[in-house]
Amino acid sequence: MIESWRWYGPFDKIRLSEIAQTGASGIVTALHEIPYGEIWPLDTIRNRQAEIDNAGLGLHWNVVESLPIHENIKRGTGDLERLFSNYRQSMANLAEAGIHTICYNFMPLIDWTRTRLDAPVKRGGSSLRFDAPQMAAFELFMLRRQEAEADYPEEVRRAAANWFQSSDETARTTLLKSIMSGLPGAFDRYDIDGLRSALKNYEGIDQDELRGNYARFLSEIIPAADDLGMRFCVHPDDPPRDILGLPRIVSDADDIGWIMDQQKSLANGLTLCSGSLGANPANDVPAIARRFADRIHFAHLRNVAKEPDGSFEEAPHLEGDTDMVSLAAALVAEERRREAEGRADWRIPWRPDHGHELLNDAERANHPGYPLIGRMRGLAELRGVMAALGHEKVSYV
């Protein structure tokens, strides 16, 4: 498997020379500075590629994460033909540069949601956390979304009321900042009124309509991906549940099966994110990996520890609720199958997704969830698992 590392380019506090020292060889990045819906120019792609290649560190840009989808495509509004045309041209420019794997998501408005970015963990360090009562407090008492009451059980609503009544303005501001950290793109952030306004754009759009808009996107994009020899891989919802009144449609095995059926092409694939899928108590992540193994083109490997009220915390990579050895075995077994089949692209790129802030990570002000030392620990642990599986040369699945 190809050990890879997410890098935010000029916006990243972590340098390529430091990434090289982790042992990773693949760079997962994007042109975050280009507005959504605009074409990624070939010369801009090549310049970013040259920055990585010419560092002389044995690194290469192997996965795009992500080529973002404009909100109008998700809503099914506006000049869609132009947006689809621009998207296909960006794909063609990436393929011309030799980059053929694109991770993307179809989450409305917000890419991922956490309520705390620095939850303390035992033995030191901090992690990202989704606290269901705090999320409910945000929706019920700060955002004042009327329909939110139906989205949370009574015990969570009671805990939310208790949290809100005991919180001060600093705690509420910190909660808003944490939730806004999941907005896509570099830098748009909302206050409460701004978020209410943004959410209005999705009023009346339910799961069926969002699915219809997604199916149209796939019908416009996957044939072009086939022609270009590209691999598209959708990232699951994070968390895998409706939130802020926004429907989510990539949350479990049934959702993934629906997506794969829309375009029965190898180009229409999956980013296997064990952390996102693992936050849904109904998901058996290794089983999902085995079921969709032939359509997995990229993997995010991390772990979560779930709680009965719907809260979860990001756990060390080999701890938490997902059996990471079984999951890694499923991926290694699929690689062996592809290699035996004679596929040139038989190796699956993966990256250690997120990580605890450890030692002096907190001093660097990295992107939330993307510290240097915490991810390097996860990379090293998972590297050991995969080395053992490869050494044994047996299936394990």
Side-chain angles (χ1 to χ4, degrees):
M1 296 184 72
I2 304 173
E3 296 177 7
S4 306
W5 189 276
R6 189 169 192 180
W7 181 59
Y8 286 89
F11 307 111
D12 207 318
K13 302 290 178 61
I14 298 172
R15 301 184 299 275
L16 291 172
S17 59
E18 294 175 306
I19 296 172
Q21 293 177 58
T22 71
S25 60
I27 293 294
V28 178
T29 192
L31 303 180
H32 299 286
E33 65 274 22
I34 296 180
Y36 285 21
E38 299 302 315
I39 293 172
W40 285 16
L42 179 58
D43 60 347
T44 307
I45 294 168
R46 289 197 187 280
N47 287 342
R48 182 62 51 81
Q49 196 174 40
E51 181 181 0
I52 296 166
D53 292 346
N54 294 344
L57 299 167
L59 303 173
H60 66 286
W61 185 0
N62 64 336
V63 178
V64 173
E65 186 178 346
S66 60
L67 181 58
I69 299 169
H70 197 281
E71 293 298 312
N72 282 352
I73 292 176
K74 299 174 189 177
R75 294 194 301 261
T77 61
D79 187 356
L80 295 180
E81 292 304 326
R82 183 185 73 85
L83 290 174
F84 289 136
S85 176
N86 286 358
Y87 203 96
R88 287 190 292 264
Q89 186 60 56
S90 295
M91 292 163 53
N93 291 344
L94 286 163
E96 177 69 18
I99 304 167
H100 291 90
T101 302
I102 297 176
C103 168
Y104 71 98
N105 75 73
F106 213 81
M107 288 181 264
L109 194 62
I110 295 181
D111 277 2
W112 55 269
T113 304
R114 300 291 185 272
T115 59
R116 187 165 181 183
L117 307 179
D118 60 350
V121 297
K122 64 182 180 180
R123 306 190 72 181
S126 65
S127 71
L128 304 184
R129 176 175 172 80
F130 179 88
D131 186 274
Q134 288 186 19
M135 191 69 212
F138 178 79
E139 295 209 54
L140 292 166
F141 306 117
M142 294 174 61
L143 193 61
R144 293 194 290 277
R145 187 173 71 83
Q146 294 183 350
E147 300 83 358
E149 187 166 339
D151 292 344
Y152 296 94
E154 182 180 353
E155 62 271 19
V156 172
R157 297 198 305 270
R158 284 199 305 267
N162 291 337
W163 182 88
F164 185 75
Q165 290 163 10
S166 63
S167 66
D168 58 16
E169 193 60 32
T170 298
R172 296 170 191 175
T173 299
T174 299
L175 177 59
L176 172 64
K177 180 180 177 182
S178 297
I179 293 170
M180 289 301 96
S181 293
L183 278 169
F187 316 97
D188 289 338
R189 298 292 179 261
Y190 298 122
D191 58 15
I192 292 293
D193 288 338
L195 181 58
R196 286 195 190 107
S197 178
L199 289 171
K200 284 184 181 297
N201 292 324
Y202 277 93
E203 285 184 354
I205 296 179
D206 61 11
Q207 185 182 66
D208 288 341
E209 185 169 351
L210 187 63
R211 272 188 164 185
N213 295 338
Y214 187 19
R216 179 176 179 183
F217 169 78
L218 292 173
S219 71
E220 294 277 355
I221 298 305
I222 296 303
D226 271 324
D227 291 342
L228 294 166
M230 303 195 84
R231 299 288 185 256
F232 259 68
C233 34
V234 64
H235 188 285
D237 301 328
D238 188 7
R241 52 163 289 174
D242 292 357
I243 202 163
L244 296 170
L246 299 169
R248 295 291 180 90
I249 56 173
V250 195
S251 292
D252 57 25
D254 289 342
D255 288 342
I256 296 168
W258 178 87
I259 294 163
M260 299 301 109
D261 286 344
Q262 297 312 296
Q263 296 287 320
K264 295 181 182 296
S265 161
L266 194 62
N268 181 30
L270 173 67
T271 295
L272 193 286
C273 180
S274 58
S276 298
L277 291 169
N280 183 341
N283 285 338
D284 180 336
V285 182
I288 289 173
R290 291 189 290 269
R291 176 177 169 182
F292 299 106
D294 64 328
R295 304 286 275 275
I296 295 172
H297 304 318
F298 183 36
H300 292 178
L301 300 183
R302 63 179 171 89
N303 223 323
V304 296
K306 298 184 289 292
E307 299 167 23
D309 67 356
S311 303
F312 62 87
E313 192 158 296
E314 298 194 354
H317 287 76
L318 296 187
E319 300 177 27
D321 298 332
T322 296
D323 182 344
M324 296 298 286
V325 174
S326 179
L327 175 57
L331 297 174
V332 169
E334 173 60 15
E335 274 202 336
R336 291 178 187 152
R337 187 194 68 79
R338 296 179 189 184
E339 185 180 19
E341 199 177 66
R343 279 178 48 177
D345 63 343
W346 61 272
R347 298 181 69 198
I348 299 172
W350 68 277
R351 65 173 179 83
D353 192 23
H354 296 186
H356 290 177
E357 285 195 331
L358 304 175
L359 302 174
N360 69 343
D361 272 332
E363 300 170 11
R364 302 176 67 111
N366 295 307
H367 287 73
Y370 290 92
L372 174 61
I373 298 169
R375 281 189 289 166
M376 184 169 65
R377 173 185 169 180
L379 176 67
E381 290 175 341
L382 291 163
R383 176 186 294 139
V385 169
M386 292 175 188
L389 292 168
H391 178 74
E392 291 297 331
K393 297 290 185 186
V394 293
S395 171
Y396 289 96
V397 295

